[in-house]
């Protein structure tokens, strides 16, 4: 047994989160793509069967009240809240991340006032965020500037209405400075909208602590909600009575069954709702969130950093020198929960890794991404992935 193998075994034996792995359906593969789609929590299939056969099949329309369908967006939002450092009553679940980005950015522009005619966007953002912010700026007559998070903090000024920033960069895994950027925007009188897709469920966020105004995130990555699982929208409690959604719907009306021609918004985070909730995927998400029972986000963060440190150590030992380089910062304060390696022929390399049972993903033009989900990723997984990567690149 090699020194690294022994170290992996010892670390797994001492892992306080090791029992969480039993809450997932896992096969023999090394699954390092939870930053794209989380693994299946074991509780979900049975819960969905009940939703389909009993709640829908037997109770039918009665399930809106008797099975709690109508209140699911807020109830599940409150389940997510402690994972992102938010008090109850500030998160509503529903729609896609893209739709929630649009709601948040336009609502922030409206709250900022007509004199603020500039919108800032993280230049490294996931492309869809950029497309939506550009459209929102065009629709509202604002000027858009794409800047790095550091530049956003430095250049926000009296014209700035809002900035949309990614907490963790989807390609490199860089963790951006949420407290510092938010404080800088507030000092300039602007609002902060954060995309939490690659951080929620992997590390502490601290939305309330750091005064974040609005935030959005998906639930199918580190929250393991399943493909197409609904996203969520955070509206800070102090802003809820000013939140003017660009997509008002009957679900966000103060009298949703009044069917009135004029729109009067409901109180609270309910203002973030639009239409009928997607119940099947929403209740699958609710079941998936049970894996967090008794789990500390701080413990998840500690294991995440230990896993990514160990993986980088294994890569240095197992991969021939000069064949890969890390895009992910070495500094813990700047690292999310993935490792991105630059590699020639990365697409072909990842395809070969997958054929050998190591599941990561590839981003153009030359990036291998390995996502570490501490609830079910082991140190032996990290070592195996590095060893197989070394074999592939050495032509073995």
């Amino acid at each position: 047994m090699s020194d690294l193998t022994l170290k992996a075994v010892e670390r797994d034996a001492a892992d306080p989160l090791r029992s969480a792995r039993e809450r997932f359906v896992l096969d023999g593969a090394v699954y390092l793509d939870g930053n794209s789609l989380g693994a299946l929590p074991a509780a979900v299939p049975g819960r969905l069967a009940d939703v389909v056969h009993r709640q829908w099949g037997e109770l039918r329309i009665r399930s809106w009240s008797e099975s709690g369908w109508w209140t699911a967006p807020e109830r599940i939002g409150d389940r997510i809240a402690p994972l992102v450092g938010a008090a109850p009553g500030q998160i509503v679940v529903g729609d896609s991340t893209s739709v929630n980005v649009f709601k948040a950015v336009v609502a922030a522009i409206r709250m900022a006032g007509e004199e603020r005619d500039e919108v800032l966007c993280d230049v490294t953002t996931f492309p869809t965020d950029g497309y939506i912010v550009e459209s929102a700026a065009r629709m509202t007559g604002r000027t858009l500037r794409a800047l790095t998070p550091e530049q956003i903090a430095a250049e926000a000024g009296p014209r700035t209405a809002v900035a949309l920033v990614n907490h963790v960069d989807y390609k490199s895994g860089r963790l951006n400075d949420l407290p510092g950027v938010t404080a800088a925007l507030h000092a300039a009188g602007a609002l902060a909208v954060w995309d939490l897709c690659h951080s929620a469920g992997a590390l502490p966020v601290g939305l309330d602590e750091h005064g974040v105004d609005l935030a959005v995130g998906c639930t199918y990555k580190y929250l393991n909600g399943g493909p197409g699982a609904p996203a969520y929208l955070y509206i800070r409690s102090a802003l809820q009575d000013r939140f003017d959604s660009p997509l008002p719907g009957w679900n966000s009306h103060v009298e949703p069954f009044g069917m009135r021609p004029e729109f009067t918004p409901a109180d609270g985070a309910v203002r973030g709702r639009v239409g009928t909730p997607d119940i099947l995927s929403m209740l699958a998400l609710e079941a998936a969130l049970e894996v967090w029972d008794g789990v500390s986000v701080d413990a998840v963060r500690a294991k995440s950093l230990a896993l990514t440190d160990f993986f980088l150590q294994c890569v240095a030992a197992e991969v021939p020198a000069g064949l890969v380089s890390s895009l992910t910062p070495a500094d813990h304060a700047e690292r999310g929960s993935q490792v991105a390696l630059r590699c020639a022929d990365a697409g072909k390399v990842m395809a070969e890794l997958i054929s050998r049972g190591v599941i990561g993903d590839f981003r153009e033009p030359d990036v291998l991404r390995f996502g570490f989900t501490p609830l079910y990723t082991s140190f032996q997984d990290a070592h195996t992935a590095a060893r197989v990567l070394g074999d592939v690149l050495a032509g073995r």
Side-chain angles (χ1 to χ4, degrees), residues 3 9 28 48 66 97 130 136-137 148 162 164 167 171 202 207 217 221 295 306 324 336 375 377:
D3 289 344
V9 171
L48 272 181
E66 294 181 27
T97 307
T148 67
V162 59
L164 172 65
H167 195 194
K171 183 176 284 188
L207 292 178
K221 299 182 191 295
V295 174
V324 298
L375 292 180
T377 304

Side-chain angles (χ1 to χ4, degrees), residues 4 17 63 72 112 161 163 166 173 181 209 215 219 223 234 274 283 285 291 317 326 344 361 366 370 380:
L4 286 174
L17 297 178
S63 277
N166 280 231
V181 174
E209 176 186 358
T219 61
L223 296 181
Y234 165 88
V274 184
L283 297 186
L285 167 63
V291 301
S326 179
D361 69 13
D366 58 357
F370 300 94
Q380 291 182 72

Side-chain angles (χ1 to χ4, degrees), residues 240-251:
Q240 289 175 0
D241 62 350
R242 297 172 54 206
F243 184 85
D244 182 6
S245 175
L247 295 173
W250 75 287
N251 264 232

